[in-house]
Amino acid sequence: MIVAERKPIEEILPWLEGVRSVLVLGCNECVTVCEAGGKKEVGLLASALRMVFAQQGREVNVGERTLERQCDPEYLDELRDSIDAYDAVVSLACGVGIQFTAERYPSKAVYPGVNTCFMGAALERGVWAERCQGCGQCLLALTGAVCPVARCAKRLFNGPCGGSTAGKCEIGPDVECAWQRIIDRLKALGRLADYETLIPVKDWSKDRAGGPRKVVREDVRS
Amino acid sequence: MRLGYPESVKIIRVPCTGKVDALHLLRCFERGADGVLVVGCREGDCHYQSGNFRARKRVGEVGALLERIGVGGGRVRMVNLSSSDAPLFVRAAREFHEAVLAAGPNPVGRRRRPEPAPARAGAPNPPPQEAIRP
Ligand code: SF4
Ligand code: SF4
Protein backbone atom coordinates (compact mmCIF):
# COMPACT_ATOMS: atom_id res chain seq x y z
CA MET A 1 0.00 0.00 0.00
CA ILE A 2 0.93 3.63 -0.18
CA VAL A 3 1.86 4.68 3.33
CA ALA A 4 1.12 8.17 4.58
CA GLU A 5 1.16 10.05 7.86
CA ARG A 6 -1.31 12.62 9.10
CA LYS A 7 -0.13 16.19 8.89
CA PRO A 8 -0.27 18.16 12.12
CA ILE A 9 -3.38 20.35 12.21
CA GLU A 10 -1.17 23.39 12.81
CA GLU A 11 0.19 22.99 9.29
CA ILE A 12 -3.29 22.78 7.77
CA LEU A 13 -4.95 25.67 9.61
CA PRO A 14 -3.19 28.60 7.88
CA TRP A 15 -4.44 27.32 4.50
CA LEU A 16 -8.01 27.58 5.72
CA GLU A 17 -7.92 31.19 6.85
CA GLY A 18 -10.93 32.97 5.43
CA VAL A 19 -12.68 29.88 4.04
CA ARG A 20 -16.37 29.55 4.86
CA SER A 21 -16.74 25.89 4.04
CA VAL A 22 -14.25 23.09 3.73
CA LEU A 23 -14.59 19.45 2.75
CA VAL A 24 -12.38 16.93 4.51
CA LEU A 25 -12.04 14.19 1.93
CA GLY A 26 -10.80 10.72 2.78
CA CYS A 27 -9.96 7.68 0.72
CA ASN A 28 -11.08 4.13 1.46
CA GLU A 29 -7.98 2.38 0.22
CA CYS A 30 -4.29 2.60 1.16
CA VAL A 31 -4.59 5.54 3.54
CA THR A 32 -7.45 3.85 5.37
CA VAL A 33 -5.31 0.77 5.93
CA CYS A 34 -2.38 2.81 7.21
CA GLU A 35 -4.77 4.83 9.38
CA ALA A 36 -3.85 8.20 7.94
CA GLY A 37 -6.75 9.20 5.72
CA GLY A 38 -9.79 6.95 6.01
CA LYS A 39 -13.24 7.73 7.29
CA LYS A 40 -12.04 7.68 10.90
CA GLU A 41 -9.25 10.16 10.30
CA VAL A 42 -11.63 12.35 8.31
CA GLY A 43 -13.91 12.44 11.36
CA LEU A 44 -11.05 13.27 13.71
CA LEU A 45 -9.67 16.10 11.60
CA ALA A 46 -13.12 17.51 10.87
CA SER A 47 -14.00 17.48 14.56
CA ALA A 48 -10.74 19.20 15.52
CA LEU A 49 -11.24 21.80 12.78
CA ARG A 50 -14.77 22.55 14.00
CA MET A 51 -13.45 23.10 17.51
CA VAL A 52 -10.77 25.45 16.26
CA PHE A 53 -13.21 27.44 14.13
CA ALA A 54 -15.71 27.64 17.01
CA GLN A 55 -13.01 29.11 19.25
CA GLN A 56 -12.16 31.62 16.54
CA GLY A 57 -15.83 32.60 16.40
CA ARG A 58 -15.98 31.54 12.76
CA GLU A 59 -18.98 29.86 11.16
CA VAL A 60 -17.30 27.35 8.91
CA ASN A 61 -19.16 24.43 7.40
CA VAL A 62 -16.87 21.42 7.72
CA GLY A 63 -18.05 18.55 5.53
CA GLU A 64 -16.89 14.96 5.71
CA ARG A 65 -16.72 12.53 2.84
CA THR A 66 -14.70 9.44 2.07
CA LEU A 67 -14.49 8.13 -1.47
CA GLU A 68 -13.73 4.60 -2.50
CA ARG A 69 -10.57 5.92 -4.19
CA GLN A 70 -9.35 9.36 -5.10
CA CYS A 71 -7.10 8.06 -7.86
CA ASP A 72 -9.94 6.97 -10.13
CA PRO A 73 -12.15 9.45 -12.01
CA GLU A 74 -15.29 7.38 -11.56
CA TYR A 75 -15.17 7.78 -7.79
CA LEU A 76 -14.12 11.42 -7.88
CA ASP A 77 -17.15 12.13 -10.04
CA GLU A 78 -19.34 11.31 -7.04
CA LEU A 79 -18.41 14.74 -5.69
CA ARG A 80 -19.70 16.60 -8.69
CA ASP A 81 -23.06 17.50 -7.14
CA SER A 82 -21.78 18.52 -3.74
CA ILE A 83 -18.35 20.06 -4.30
CA ASP A 84 -19.69 23.50 -5.11
CA ALA A 85 -20.84 23.85 -1.51
CA TYR A 86 -17.19 24.11 -0.46
CA ASP A 87 -14.50 26.75 -0.85
CA ALA A 88 -11.69 24.31 -0.21
CA VAL A 89 -10.88 20.63 0.14
CA VAL A 90 -8.43 19.02 2.54
CA SER A 91 -7.67 15.65 1.01
CA LEU A 92 -6.40 12.85 3.21
CA ALA A 93 -5.57 10.59 0.26
CA CYS A 94 -2.00 10.01 -0.82
CA GLY A 95 -0.31 12.59 -3.03
CA VAL A 96 -1.81 10.85 -6.04
CA GLY A 97 -5.36 11.25 -4.81
CA ILE A 98 -4.78 14.85 -3.72
CA GLN A 99 -3.50 15.83 -7.16
CA PHE A 100 -6.18 13.91 -8.97
CA THR A 101 -8.91 15.57 -6.93
CA ALA A 102 -7.43 18.95 -7.80
CA GLU A 103 -7.20 18.01 -11.49
CA ARG A 104 -10.82 16.91 -11.52
CA TYR A 105 -12.08 20.07 -9.80
CA PRO A 106 -9.72 22.78 -11.06
CA SER A 107 -11.61 25.67 -9.46
CA LYS A 108 -11.25 24.27 -5.95
CA ALA A 109 -8.30 24.81 -3.66
CA VAL A 110 -7.18 21.33 -2.63
CA TYR A 111 -4.75 20.98 0.28
CA PRO A 112 -2.87 17.94 1.55
CA GLY A 113 -3.91 16.56 4.92
CA VAL A 114 -1.22 13.86 4.95
CA ASN A 115 2.43 13.44 4.13
CA THR A 116 2.76 10.58 1.66
CA CYS A 117 5.79 8.55 2.64
CA PHE A 118 6.38 5.36 0.65
CA MET A 119 5.10 2.07 -0.71
CA GLY A 120 5.25 -0.31 2.15
CA ALA A 121 3.71 -3.00 4.29
CA ALA A 122 2.41 -3.28 7.84
CA LEU A 123 4.99 -5.00 10.06
CA GLU A 124 2.50 -4.90 12.91
CA ARG A 125 -0.42 -2.70 13.86
CA GLY A 126 0.89 0.84 13.83
CA VAL A 127 4.24 0.06 12.18
CA TRP A 128 4.76 0.34 8.43
CA ALA A 129 7.99 -0.16 6.52
CA GLU A 130 9.14 0.66 3.02
CA ARG A 131 9.39 -2.20 0.56
CA CYS A 132 9.33 -0.87 -3.02
CA GLN A 133 10.34 2.29 -4.84
CA GLY A 134 8.58 1.58 -8.11
CA CYS A 135 11.85 1.43 -10.03
CA GLY A 136 10.07 0.22 -13.17
CA GLN A 137 12.12 -2.93 -13.68
CA CYS A 138 11.78 -5.38 -10.84
CA LEU A 139 14.87 -7.28 -9.74
CA LEU A 140 13.30 -9.37 -7.03
CA ALA A 141 13.78 -12.62 -8.95
CA LEU A 142 17.54 -12.26 -8.51
CA THR A 143 17.53 -11.21 -4.90
CA GLY A 144 15.39 -13.73 -3.10
CA ALA A 145 12.48 -11.27 -3.13
CA VAL A 146 14.27 -8.67 -1.03
CA CYS A 147 14.48 -5.30 -2.76
CA PRO A 148 17.94 -3.74 -2.96
CA VAL A 149 16.51 -0.51 -4.37
CA ALA A 150 14.10 0.28 -1.56
CA ARG A 151 15.83 -1.50 1.31
CA CYS A 152 19.54 -0.95 0.75
CA ALA A 153 20.42 2.59 1.79
CA LYS A 154 22.97 2.77 -1.05
CA ARG A 155 20.90 0.84 -3.59
CA LEU A 156 23.75 -1.58 -4.16
CA PHE A 157 23.13 -4.42 -6.58
CA ASN A 158 26.01 -6.79 -6.09
CA GLY A 159 26.48 -7.47 -2.42
CA PRO A 160 26.80 -5.38 0.69
CA CYS A 161 29.12 -2.46 1.31
CA GLY A 162 31.76 -2.63 4.02
CA GLY A 163 29.41 -1.11 6.57
CA SER A 164 27.19 -4.16 7.01
CA THR A 165 27.59 -5.33 10.61
CA ALA A 166 25.75 -8.18 12.31
CA GLY A 167 22.88 -7.90 9.87
CA LYS A 168 22.48 -4.16 10.34
CA CYS A 169 23.10 -1.31 7.96
CA GLU A 170 25.73 1.25 8.78
CA ILE A 171 23.23 4.08 8.63
CA GLY A 172 21.60 2.98 11.88
CA PRO A 173 21.38 0.08 14.31
CA ASP A 174 17.65 -0.30 13.68
CA VAL A 175 18.01 -0.62 9.92
CA GLU A 176 18.34 -4.10 8.50
CA CYS A 177 21.05 -4.64 5.92
CA ALA A 178 19.13 -5.59 2.79
CA TRP A 179 22.08 -7.55 1.45
CA GLN A 180 22.39 -9.62 4.60
CA ARG A 181 18.72 -10.36 4.12
CA ILE A 182 19.23 -11.25 0.46
CA ILE A 183 22.07 -13.62 1.23
CA ASP A 184 20.13 -15.26 4.07
CA ARG A 185 17.16 -15.75 1.76
CA LEU A 186 19.24 -17.16 -1.09
CA LYS A 187 20.90 -19.55 1.35
CA ALA A 188 17.54 -20.70 2.69
CA LEU A 189 16.32 -21.26 -0.86
CA GLY A 190 19.46 -23.23 -1.76
CA ARG A 191 20.27 -20.65 -4.40
CA LEU A 192 23.42 -19.10 -3.03
CA ALA A 193 25.01 -19.62 -6.45
CA ASP A 194 22.75 -16.78 -7.67
CA TYR A 195 24.71 -14.46 -5.46
CA GLU A 196 27.68 -14.96 -7.78
CA THR A 197 25.65 -13.80 -10.80
CA LEU A 198 26.48 -10.19 -11.48
CA ILE A 199 23.47 -7.94 -11.74
CA PRO A 200 24.08 -5.77 -14.79
CA VAL A 201 23.99 -2.01 -14.63
CA LYS A 202 20.41 -1.02 -14.03
CA ASP A 203 18.45 0.97 -16.58
CA TRP A 204 17.45 3.90 -14.41
CA SER A 205 15.51 5.52 -17.23
CA LYS A 206 12.59 3.32 -16.15
CA ASP A 207 12.86 4.84 -12.67
CA ARG A 208 12.14 8.48 -11.84
CA ALA A 209 15.41 9.43 -13.54
CA GLY A 210 13.58 9.14 -16.86
CA GLY A 211 11.07 11.83 -15.84
CA PRO A 212 7.39 11.36 -14.97
CA ARG A 213 6.20 7.93 -16.06
CA LYS A 214 3.10 6.55 -17.63
CA VAL A 215 1.83 3.03 -18.23
CA VAL A 216 -0.31 2.54 -21.34
CA ARG A 217 -2.11 -0.72 -22.09
CA GLU A 218 -3.59 -0.51 -25.54
CA ASP A 219 -5.48 -3.80 -25.10
CA VAL A 220 -7.59 -2.48 -22.22
CA ARG A 221 -7.65 1.14 -23.20
CA SER A 222 -11.09 2.56 -23.93
CA MET B 1 -22.29 2.68 50.25
CA ARG B 2 -24.19 5.75 49.06
CA LEU B 3 -21.10 7.79 48.35
CA GLY B 4 -21.76 11.04 46.59
CA TYR B 5 -19.90 12.30 43.55
CA PRO B 6 -20.35 15.66 41.79
CA GLU B 7 -23.77 15.96 40.13
CA SER B 8 -22.29 17.35 36.95
CA VAL B 9 -20.81 13.93 36.22
CA LYS B 10 -22.87 12.02 33.70
CA ILE B 11 -22.16 8.35 33.35
CA ILE B 12 -21.98 6.89 29.86
CA ARG B 13 -21.71 3.13 29.92
CA VAL B 14 -19.56 1.31 27.39
CA PRO B 15 -18.88 -2.41 27.18
CA CYS B 16 -15.16 -1.83 27.66
CA THR B 17 -12.97 1.27 27.56
CA GLY B 18 -11.43 -0.32 24.47
CA LYS B 19 -14.67 0.71 22.76
CA VAL B 20 -14.02 4.38 23.48
CA ASP B 21 -12.72 5.75 20.24
CA ALA B 22 -10.76 8.96 19.81
CA LEU B 23 -13.67 10.17 17.72
CA HIS B 24 -16.13 9.63 20.60
CA LEU B 25 -13.93 11.70 22.88
CA LEU B 26 -13.54 14.52 20.37
CA ARG B 27 -17.26 14.64 19.68
CA CYS B 28 -17.93 15.15 23.40
CA PHE B 29 -15.76 18.26 23.39
CA GLU B 30 -17.12 19.42 20.09
CA ARG B 31 -20.57 19.41 21.67
CA GLY B 32 -19.46 21.32 24.70
CA ALA B 33 -18.43 18.81 27.37
CA ASP B 34 -16.03 20.44 29.83
CA GLY B 35 -14.20 17.23 30.61
CA VAL B 36 -14.26 13.50 29.96
CA LEU B 37 -13.01 10.97 32.46
CA VAL B 38 -12.44 7.53 31.02
CA VAL B 39 -12.76 4.95 33.77
CA GLY B 40 -11.29 1.61 32.83
CA CYS B 41 -10.64 -1.60 34.67
CA ARG B 42 -7.35 -2.08 36.43
CA GLU B 43 -4.33 -2.88 34.33
CA GLY B 44 -4.27 -6.60 33.74
CA ASP B 45 -7.98 -6.99 34.53
CA CYS B 46 -9.41 -6.22 31.10
CA HIS B 47 -11.91 -8.85 30.07
CA TYR B 48 -10.72 -8.33 26.49
CA GLN B 49 -7.05 -8.36 27.48
CA SER B 50 -5.96 -4.96 26.27
CA GLY B 51 -9.01 -2.70 25.96
CA ASN B 52 -7.95 -0.46 28.83
CA PHE B 53 -4.40 -0.15 27.50
CA ARG B 54 -5.71 0.87 24.11
CA ALA B 55 -8.02 3.39 25.73
CA ARG B 56 -5.14 4.91 27.65
CA LYS B 57 -3.16 5.46 24.48
CA ARG B 58 -6.14 7.09 22.80
CA VAL B 59 -6.80 9.30 25.79
CA GLY B 60 -3.16 10.41 25.62
CA GLU B 61 -3.42 11.14 21.92
CA VAL B 62 -6.71 13.02 22.25
CA GLY B 63 -5.36 15.01 25.22
CA ALA B 64 -2.35 16.07 23.16
CA LEU B 65 -4.58 17.13 20.28
CA LEU B 66 -6.94 19.08 22.57
CA GLU B 67 -3.95 20.86 24.04
CA ARG B 68 -2.68 21.81 20.59
CA ILE B 69 -6.03 23.16 19.42
CA GLY B 70 -6.52 25.30 22.51
CA VAL B 71 -9.22 23.27 24.23
CA GLY B 72 -6.85 22.00 26.92
CA GLY B 73 -5.28 18.56 27.29
CA GLY B 74 -6.24 18.30 30.97
CA ARG B 75 -9.90 17.97 30.07
CA VAL B 76 -9.55 14.31 29.25
CA ARG B 77 -8.13 11.85 31.73
CA MET B 78 -8.07 8.11 32.26
CA VAL B 79 -8.15 6.25 35.55
CA ASN B 80 -8.03 2.54 36.15
CA LEU B 81 -9.99 1.05 38.98
CA SER B 82 -12.08 -1.94 39.84
CA SER B 83 -15.80 -1.60 39.29
CA SER B 84 -16.32 -2.64 42.91
CA ASP B 85 -14.08 0.13 44.22
CA ALA B 86 -16.61 2.89 44.76
CA PRO B 87 -14.48 5.04 47.08
CA LEU B 88 -11.72 5.17 44.49
CA PHE B 89 -14.19 6.12 41.76
CA VAL B 90 -15.62 8.88 43.92
CA ARG B 91 -12.16 10.21 44.65
CA ALA B 92 -11.21 10.16 40.97
CA ALA B 93 -14.48 11.86 39.98
CA ARG B 94 -14.02 14.59 42.60
CA GLU B 95 -10.41 15.21 41.68
CA PHE B 96 -11.26 15.40 38.01
CA HIS B 97 -14.22 17.66 38.74
CA GLU B 98 -11.88 20.03 40.59
CA ALA B 99 -9.40 19.97 37.71
CA VAL B 100 -12.14 20.74 35.19
CA LEU B 101 -13.53 23.55 37.35
CA ALA B 102 -10.05 25.03 37.49
CA ALA B 103 -9.75 24.78 33.70
CA GLY B 104 -13.04 26.64 33.27
CA PRO B 105 -15.72 26.12 30.64
CA ASN B 106 -14.91 24.40 27.37
CA PRO B 107 -13.84 27.21 25.02
CA VAL B 108 -15.63 25.51 22.13
CA GLY B 109 -18.94 26.44 23.73
CA ARG B 110 -22.09 24.41 23.84
CA ARG B 111 -23.01 23.34 20.37
CA ARG B 112 -25.82 20.88 19.96
CA ARG B 113 -24.34 18.84 17.18
CA PRO B 114 -21.73 19.18 14.47
CA GLU B 115 -22.65 20.81 11.19
CA PRO B 116 -24.17 18.14 9.00
CA ALA B 117 -22.16 17.51 5.87
CA PRO B 118 -24.20 18.49 2.81
CA ALA B 119 -24.88 15.02 1.48
CA ARG B 120 -26.89 14.10 -1.57
CA ALA B 121 -29.82 11.80 -1.15
CA GLY B 122 -28.42 8.31 -1.24
CA ALA B 123 -24.84 9.50 -0.83
CA PRO B 124 -22.62 6.77 0.56
CA ASN B 125 -21.47 8.77 3.60
CA PRO B 126 -24.27 10.10 5.76
CA PRO B 127 -23.42 12.92 8.18
CA PRO B 128 -21.61 11.79 11.32
CA GLN B 129 -23.69 9.56 13.51
CA GLU B 130 -24.53 10.62 17.01
CA ALA B 131 -22.43 8.08 18.83
CA ILE B 132 -22.48 9.61 22.28
CA ARG B 133 -24.80 12.20 23.73
CA PRO B 134 -22.98 14.13 26.40
S1 SF4 C 1 -5.91 7.80 -3.81
FE1 SF4 C 1 -3.99 7.06 -3.01
S2 SF4 C 1 -4.58 6.20 -1.05
FE2 SF4 C 1 -6.43 6.33 -2.26
S3 SF4 C 1 -6.53 4.34 -3.30
FE3 SF4 C 1 -5.53 5.76 -4.67
S4 SF4 C 1 -3.39 5.31 -4.29
FE4 SF4 C 1 -4.47 4.50 -2.54
S1 SF4 D 1 13.28 -3.89 -7.63
FE1 SF4 D 1 12.13 -2.04 -8.18
S2 SF4 D 1 10.04 -2.73 -8.61
FE2 SF4 D 1 11.10 -4.41 -7.56
S3 SF4 D 1 10.58 -4.11 -5.39
FE3 SF4 D 1 12.50 -3.01 -5.75
S4 SF4 D 1 11.93 -0.92 -6.27
FE4 SF4 D 1 10.09 -2.17 -6.43
Side-chain angles (χ1 to χ4, degrees):
Chain A
M1 82 192 89
I2 294 181
V3 178
E5 266 184 317
R6 294 178 293 174
K7 267 191 188 293
I9 189 170
E10 293 88 340
E11 196 180 332
I12 297 168
L13 283 170
W15 303 327
L16 302 179
E17 270 168 29
V19 305
R20 296 213 315 269
S21 55
V22 58
L23 176 64
V24 182
L25 187 63
C27 177
N28 256 338
E29 304 269 0
C30 322
V31 288
T32 293
V33 184
C34 67
E35 305 191 45
K39 195 171 177 186
K40 162 88 75 69
E41 291 74 31
V42 165
L44 292 173
L45 178 61
S47 179
L49 287 173
R50 283 189 202 102
M51 286 193 260
V52 171
F53 296 143
Q55 290 178 80
Q56 294 172 342
R58 287 168 61 191
E59 287 276 335
V60 181
N61 173 28
V62 182
E64 301 177 26
R65 190 80 187 261
T66 301
L67 299 178
E68 199 52 38
R69 281 197 288 283
Q70 287 185 37
C71 53
D72 250 331
E74 62 191 282
Y75 298 111
L76 275 175
D77 280 348
E78 290 173 11
L79 290 179
R80 201 156 287 289
D81 296 339
S82 51
I83 190 108
D84 282 337
Y86 300 102
D87 301 335
V89 177
V90 176
S91 166
L92 301 192
C94 71
V96 179
I98 300 165
Q99 292 182 62
F100 217 45
T101 303
E103 281 169 39
R104 207 74 182 157
Y105 299 105
S107 65
K108 294 291 158 197
V110 181
Y111 301 111
V114 301
N115 292 320
T116 303
C117 304
F118 48 76
M119 281 185 267
L123 300 186
E124 58 181 275
R125 176 98 195 263
V127 181
W128 295 271
E130 185 162 21
R131 285 291 182 267
C132 172
Q133 275 191 9
C135 75
Q137 194 174 34
C138 196
L139 298 165
L140 291 177
L142 302 170
T143 57
V146 176
C147 174
V149 182
R151 297 173 69 182
C152 165
K154 296 174 185 164
R155 297 179 166 198
L156 297 178
F157 287 139
N158 288 293
C161 72
S164 176
T165 311
K168 300 295 178 196
C169 171
E170 69 175 345
I171 67 160
D174 298 331
V175 182
E176 280 190 325
C177 168
W179 272 98
Q180 182 68 55
R181 262 277 155 118
I182 292 170
I183 291 164
D184 291 347
R185 284 277 298 154
L186 290 176
K187 227 186 252 171
L189 295 168
R191 280 177 33 205
L192 204 50
D194 285 10
Y195 180 47
E196 300 297 327
T197 315
L198 276 186
I199 299 180
V201 175
K202 189 169 168 58
D203 176 7
W204 287 108
S205 71
K206 295 196 184 326
D207 183 82
R208 270 285 301 140
R213 295 166 285 175
K214 220 183 226 175
V215 172
V216 180
R217 279 250 331 250
E218 291 299 347
D219 59 330
V220 293
R221 205 174 177 176
S222 54
Chain B
M1 264 194 251
R2 297 193 183 279
L3 299 170
Y5 57 85
E7 290 116 61
S8 59
V9 176
K10 280 188 191 149
I11 307 279
I12 298 170
R13 290 196 299 177
V14 288
C16 167
T17 46
K19 173 68 192 163
V20 180
D21 195 89
L23 201 49
H24 297 141
L25 297 172
L26 282 191
R27 292 241 192 275
C28 293
F29 292 101
E30 202 185 314
R31 292 171 201 196
D34 295 319
V36 178
L37 181 64
V38 179
V39 184
C41 295
R42 290 185 307 189
E43 290 90 344
D45 280 358
C46 178
H47 185 70
Y48 304 100
Q49 311 292 345
S50 58
N52 48 1
F53 289 111
R54 286 172 184 269
R56 184 169 286 282
K57 286 190 191 165
R58 288 182 206 137
V59 165
E61 159 120 2
V62 167
L65 177 62
L66 290 173
E67 184 65 28
R68 282 163 42 212
I69 63 174
V71 176
R75 293 181 186 277
V76 60
R77 184 185 287 182
M78 174 143 189
V79 291
N80 295 82
L81 46 87
S82 151
S83 58
S84 58
D85 199 343
L88 206 54
F89 169 72
V90 167
R91 200 171 85 200
R94 285 194 184 135
E95 282 173 8
F96 186 59
H97 181 70
E98 289 302 320
V100 172
L101 280 182
N106 176 350
V108 173
R110 291 203 180 273
R111 289 158 41 106
R112 287 238 161 66
R113 61 182 63 211
E115 298 276 345
R120 283 179 300 133
N125 294 312
Q129 297 270 308
E130 278 219 59
I132 286 186
R133 289 161 230 270

